[in-house]
Amino acid sequence: MQHPGRTFFAYTFCFLSFAAFGYYHMQFNTDVSVETVDMASNVEFETAAQCGDDRNYFEQDLKKMPSDFTKTRRDVDSSQPPRQCVTYIMKNFMPLDKVLEFRGTCDSFDKSTNAYLKGPQKFAKAACVTEPYVNSIYNSLVDVSDCFNIPLKELLPKLFNESGLHVNTLGRGGDAGVGQLTMGALKDDVFQEYDNAQNKQTERLTSYEWIVREMGKSTKPSCQRIKANKDAINIPLKVGTRLCSKEQLAEEEKNGVAKGALPCFAAFTYQNRCLFMNGHENPLRNLVAMAVLYKNNQRNLTGVEYIAGEDRLNSQVYVPGTPYGRHFGTKNFVERFRRLGISNPDQEVIRQIILSLGFNIGLSYPISFMDKYLDQRESLNLKLSSQDIDFQNTQTGDWAVFTNLGTFWQGLSGSDTEYRAALKSLEVSSKVKVGYKGLQDEYGKLRNKAQFEIARLPKNLTEDEMNKELQTIMLRYDPPRRAMLDQIYAKAGVLTLPEFFRIAQAKFVSGGSLKYLWALSEKYKELDRVLGRGVCTTPKYLKF
């Protein structure tokens, strides 16, 4: 007989986890040789005939793209990953021939208003991974990374984990396209007013408009190719509207449309998410928006600002290795790691950790987590080793009973075996010197209470009704879980940085994957294992 708690757990908590610069010496680098038949099948292109009509839905859009983005390039810089990295990721993200919720289609465009009537529709098969489709992704990635000074090899594990590099990947929260742009990222970063005193007083351009304009000043061939693709970089507006930042939209909602002005068009709403998923404007528009988010976060963290195609720090062209400023400098991360025993702390790895998690939960949280971790270590005078800063090889799942409500609830609502397993898992608290026996006693009392509440539920409920009732009950057990989590967090500085980050995120952040950086590390290791060490990836990634 299936326990009602198990039914709820199965239906509610099972989910699919989505879980350098200056390229001037040009060499042929489109593909490298593949040595095995199995590997070849992973990086071979599909053909239209193989895919059939239901997977060739991008074929006509690809024909509308500038040939610079769909042809095979023979002059890609040797420091860039080869094209086979992109092909592999696209073919190995999710099953290609299955209709899945995590792919969207955009079919509600109204020509009379030049706008979408609704957001993307879920459930589709993958678009056919043909050579032109792969080229459109690869060439856009290479140009955007070169133009905006973003290390592509550092970015590929993230994109593998989240979108599989497909134009129409659609996350549960409406995360859109190759860059998995969320509502928060689009509204609070890409389409906020660019943080510049002159801009705020005069033009009031969005970050997207400001940074794209700076891009257009560059003479780099990559930037010029992007600039020339106006269909992609220009945001199409609904007839009779103007592009607005989130600040301008808030003013309009409060005061009404200003006299003589057009009403606001909010590009960041879910209804307009297809602007960052549809062909033929994407993947390039999506990747440019992702680059804007990256450059904003980079500037806020390090002080490095994107000006006319160059990265500048304190008005000087940034030279790799120069100590970072802004939050990075004021928090003194590098020197604090050094004082705690890391002989040669790598500021680029610290930047990777913060920027990567910033994509998932916003930049302020990982900055704070890093600072608080070092605070706790310093207060304890507890030295660090390089093994403490290793997201590739550190498992954090032992803490799930404290960090995940679903795991906490499973032992309360499930079978006796699941309850005993939960009690055993509480013993991990001894790693931070929190007595587990007291936690087990409390958990036992909670178990009795939960079982009593479940037993009182009417027996004639439908499965949907039962799940709703169980969810209501489960939420009542979040406060005692959080009280236990607070005890763990207060002493979590003795743990590794990956463990601390998971515990801190569970305490302070309501969204985002608690295994996000671990998931990126898994994709990093897969690319190294399958395609060769360093072929698709950067030498150091999320570890000292």
Side-chain angles (χ1 to χ4, degrees):
M1 181 177 178
Q2 190 175 39
H3 192 283
R6 289 293 292 160
T7 301
F8 172 76
F9 187 84
Y11 279 85
T12 305
F13 290 98
C14 291
F15 62 92
L16 179 63
S17 178
F18 278 105
F21 312 132
Y23 308 120
Y24 301 116
H25 179 58
M26 306 301 280
Q27 297 181 18
F28 172 76
N29 188 42
T30 300
D31 282 312
V32 296
S33 62
V34 175
E35 296 182 356
T36 68
V37 173
D38 288 341
M39 185 61 249
S41 66
N42 277 322
V43 296
E44 285 179 351
F45 305 120
E46 295 183 297
T47 66
Q50 288 174 322
C51 292
D53 292 342
D54 57 349
R55 290 189 54 212
N56 281 309
Y57 48 82
F58 279 154
E59 187 173 14
Q60 295 305 311
D61 291 313
L62 290 166
K63 293 177 180 177
K64 298 176 184 177
M65 291 183 187
S67 61
D68 275 344
F69 290 92
T70 56
K71 70 182 181 182
T72 298
R73 293 184 185 174
R74 303 294 180 182
D75 59 352
V76 178
D77 184 84
S78 60
S79 65
Q80 293 279 26
R83 184 178 59 179
Q84 69 181 38
C85 300
V86 169
T87 313
Y88 176 83
I89 290 171
M90 294 177 74
K91 293 187 71 175
N92 290 276
F93 175 57
M94 290 188 290
L96 298 171
D97 205 36
K98 289 186 177 180
V99 175
L100 294 175
E101 178 184 5
F102 301 100
R103 300 186 185 106
T105 55
C106 297
D107 55 6
S108 67
F109 187 74
D110 178 20
K111 291 183 179 179
S112 66
T113 59
N114 197 47
Y116 285 94
L117 301 177
K118 57 185 178 181
Q121 304 303 295
K122 297 181 178 181
F123 295 101
K125 293 184 178 181
C128 194
V129 186
T130 60
E131 185 171 10
Y133 183 30
V134 172
N135 285 344
S136 74
I137 304 293
Y138 181 68
N139 294 339
S140 296
L141 282 167
V142 167
D143 277 356
V144 168
S145 67
D146 178 62
C147 177
F148 291 94
N149 310 317
I150 298 172
L152 180 53
K153 286 188 173 184
E154 188 177 295
L155 202 59
L156 281 182
K158 164 194 154 47
L159 298 177
F160 188 2
N161 180 63
E162 294 189 7
S163 72
L165 297 177
H166 282 275
V167 169
N168 61 330
T169 303
L170 184 65
R172 284 189 183 273
D175 311 355
V178 173
Q180 283 296 276
L181 300 167
T182 65
M183 170 74 165
L186 289 168
K187 181 179 181 180
D188 298 329
D189 281 286
V190 178
F191 291 104
Q192 68 171 346
E193 282 185 7
Y194 187 71
D195 187 14
N196 173 281
Q198 180 181 354
N199 178 56
K200 287 181 175 293
Q201 293 171 6
T202 56
E203 296 178 278
R204 303 191 69 184
L205 297 178
T206 65
S207 291
Y208 185 91
E209 293 169 295
W210 182 279
I211 292 176
V212 166
R213 186 170 68 179
E214 290 300 313
M215 173 209 74
K217 298 174 184 177
S218 172
T219 59
K220 286 183 183 178
S222 57
C223 293
Q224 289 303 306
R225 281 191 293 268
I226 295 172
K227 180 181 179 181
N229 193 347
K230 297 192 182 300
D231 280 355
I233 63 171
N234 291 340
I235 304 294
L237 304 179
K238 183 177 181 179
V239 172
T241 66
R242 62 190 173 101
L243 183 64
C244 285
S245 66
K246 71 166 187 176
E247 293 87 351
Q248 290 169 316
L249 181 64
E251 290 170 8
E252 180 178 285
E253 289 174 345
K254 180 180 179 180
N255 304 319
V257 178
K259 185 176 181 180
L262 293 172
C264 280
F265 177 78
F268 46 78
T269 65
Y270 185 77
Q271 179 176 332
N272 294 320
R273 195 70 87 249
C274 281
L275 294 174
F276 303 95
M277 292 174 58
N278 65 336
H280 58 290
E281 297 94 338
N282 290 286
L284 186 57
R285 181 187 296 144
N286 186 292
L287 288 173
V288 169
M290 184 193 69
V292 170
L293 172 62
Y294 185 99
K295 301 314 284 188
N296 262 352
N297 283 349
Q298 181 186 44
R299 180 188 182 212
N300 290 333
L301 174 63
T302 68
V304 173
E305 186 171 8
Y306 184 72
I307 300 174
E310 294 180 328
D311 282 347
R312 291 180 171 267
L313 180 62
N314 300 323
S315 301
Q316 301 297 313
V317 174
Y318 180 74
V319 177
T322 304
Y324 288 133
R326 207 68 175 256
H327 289 298
F328 206 101
T330 58
K331 299 294 185 183
N332 203 19
F333 288 137
V334 172
E335 182 56 33
R336 291 167 75 188
F337 272 110
R338 185 177 287 112
R339 289 199 298 261
L340 286 168
I342 303 297
S343 59
N344 189 26
D346 190 331
Q347 74 168 2
E348 298 308 320
V349 172
I350 302 170
R351 175 191 55 77
Q352 282 174 10
I353 292 169
I354 295 174
L355 285 184
S356 295
L357 189 56
F359 269 111
N360 189 239
I361 61 174
L363 188 65
S364 62
Y365 288 114
I367 292 174
S368 175
F369 297 166
M370 188 72 76
D371 186 39
K372 296 301 183 185
Y373 180 67
L374 295 174
D375 279 348
Q376 287 198 26
R377 300 293 291 212
E378 289 162 344
S379 67
L380 296 168
N381 195 26
L382 187 60
K383 297 297 183 181
L384 286 163
S385 71
S386 58
Q387 286 73 31
D388 291 316
I389 318 298
D390 183 355
F391 285 86
Q392 289 189 36
N393 300 300
T394 305
Q395 296 289 336
T396 64
D398 287 349
W399 299 99
V401 69
F402 298 106
T403 62
N404 297 57
L405 177 57
T407 305
F408 188 81
W409 172 248
Q410 188 174 4
L412 299 180
S413 63
S415 65
D416 289 343
T417 299
E418 289 167 317
Y419 169 58
R420 288 192 294 271
L423 286 178
K424 180 69 177 175
S425 68
L426 292 170
E427 294 179 10
V428 71
S429 66
S430 62
K431 290 179 66 175
V432 295
K433 294 184 169 41
V434 171
Y436 66 83
K437 290 189 179 298
L439 297 180
Q440 288 176 330
D441 289 343
E442 182 180 354
Y443 195 82
K445 295 174 183 177
L446 293 172
R447 158 83 172 181
N448 292 335
K449 182 179 178 182
Q451 291 291 313
F452 177 75
E453 289 191 78
I454 292 170
R456 293 181 61 191
L457 290 174
K459 305 302 181 185
N460 60 346
L461 296 178
T462 66
E463 185 171 69
D464 285 345
E465 291 170 338
M466 176 66 75
N467 285 340
K468 289 178 181 178
E469 291 294 330
L470 287 168
Q471 185 174 24
T472 299
I473 295 173
M474 180 194 70
L475 292 174
R476 292 201 284 268
Y477 290 82
D478 199 35
R481 177 193 68 85
R482 287 191 167 277
M484 293 184 185
L485 178 65
D486 288 345
Q487 296 181 58
I488 301 299
Y489 172 77
K491 300 183 177 181
V494 301
L495 303 172
T496 65
L497 183 65
E499 290 174 295
F500 183 90
F501 265 41
R502 177 178 184 137
I503 292 164
Q505 185 175 337
K507 175 175 171 59
F508 293 107
V509 186
S510 59
S513 168
L514 296 175
K515 300 193 298 181
Y516 184 73
L517 294 181
W518 174 84
L520 302 195
S521 295
E522 289 298 294
K523 294 303 184 185
Y524 174 90
K525 291 190 286 187
E526 179 180 342
L527 291 171
D528 270 3
R529 183 177 67 252
V530 175
L531 290 163
R533 186 170 180 81
V535 173
C536 308
T537 59
T538 190
K540 297 183 75 172
Y541 188 68
L542 302 181
K543 61 178 289 190
F544 282 160

